[in-house]
Amino acid sequence: RVTRDYGKTANDKVNELVEALVVAILIVIAVLAYTLGWREALVVALAVPLSFSLALFVNYTFGFTINRVTLFALILSLGLVVDDPIINVDNIQRHIRLGKRNPLSATLFAVQEVLPPVIMSTLAIIVSFVPLFFITGMMGPYMGPMAANVPLTVSFSTLCALTVVPWLSYLLLRRLAPT
């Protein structure tokens, strides 16, 4: 008879974290749809999984496994990952609705306007997680995935915020320009 099955317990914990990640993403998208609009929420809804996918691809490339710490790092970084796309899509929406420029130049101007703070916030997050790489002893390998995944997801979020988000925002929001 089986008295303990740590594999099943670990699998259950990983499944709970994946479920929590999906629920958190859905809540963020619902709040954005309510506050900004469904088009803006759709832009962020596509940017978040893209950022996570790129980070998980890099994990796979370097041989990291998806474990509880990796999933916790992704959940932790969710609030940070949605920040850059939200800032950009909100500013793009504002400039398009103002109607002072055509939608394309309004999109480019809006991204350029918030570029320095977006880059600085990304650098600040990366710098704050770098010390986790230097933890030694038993906790070192445990914290390694967090030290790698939070900066990775935030970096990819910034990359998406500067490429995919403006393009998709322009496509979805250009109809909002006053005539």
Side-chain angles (χ1 to χ4, degrees):
R1 132 180 118 153
V2 177
T3 58
R4 290 188 182 139
D5 187 354
Y6 289 118
K8 183 182 179 334
T9 304
N11 189 43
D12 291 344
K13 295 294 181 188
V14 167
N15 288 340
E16 286 177 27
L17 285 171
V18 169
E19 182 181 321
L21 181 62
V22 170
V23 168
I25 291 172
L26 291 175
I27 289 172
V28 166
I29 300 307
V31 168
L32 290 175
Y34 179 72
T35 57
L36 290 178
W38 70 268
R39 290 178 182 94
E40 296 81 355
L42 181 63
V43 172
V44 176
L46 293 174
V48 170
L50 183 60
S51 301
F52 283 158
S53 298
L54 290 169
L56 289 173
F57 176 73
V58 170
N59 275 304
Y60 177 74
T61 304
F62 287 111
F64 284 119
T65 59
I66 297 178
N67 54 32
R68 286 190 270 181
V69 180
T70 304
L71 289 171
F72 176 72
L74 294 177
I75 293 170
L76 172 71
S77 65
L78 176 62
L80 305 169
V81 166
V82 298
D83 188 38
D84 293 341
I86 290 171
I87 289 169
N88 271 347
V89 76
D90 185 43
N91 206 37
I92 291 168
Q93 175 200 52
R94 182 175 68 89
H95 279 284
I96 287 176
R97 286 184 186 236
L98 279 175
K100 293 181 180 177
R101 296 175 174 81
N102 66 48
L104 180 60
S105 62
T107 301
L108 296 174
F109 182 79
V111 172
Q112 182 182 5
E113 187 176 50
V114 295
L115 183 63
V118 165
I119 290 174
M120 291 307 293
S121 70
T122 301
L123 291 175
I125 292 166
I126 290 170
V127 166
S128 67
F129 278 88
V130 165
L132 293 179
F133 277 115
F134 302 107
I135 295 176
T136 59
M138 214 168 67
M139 287 301 291
Y142 187 74
M143 298 304 279
M146 190 173 303
N149 282 300
V150 172
L152 271 175
T153 53
V154 171
S155 297
F156 287 130
S157 171
T158 301
L159 182 67
C160 287
L162 300 177
T163 57
V164 175
V165 168
W167 168 73
L168 196 54
S169 296
Y170 170 72
L171 290 178
L172 293 174
L173 302 177
R174 63 184 172 195
R175 292 178 195 89
L176 300 178
T179 55

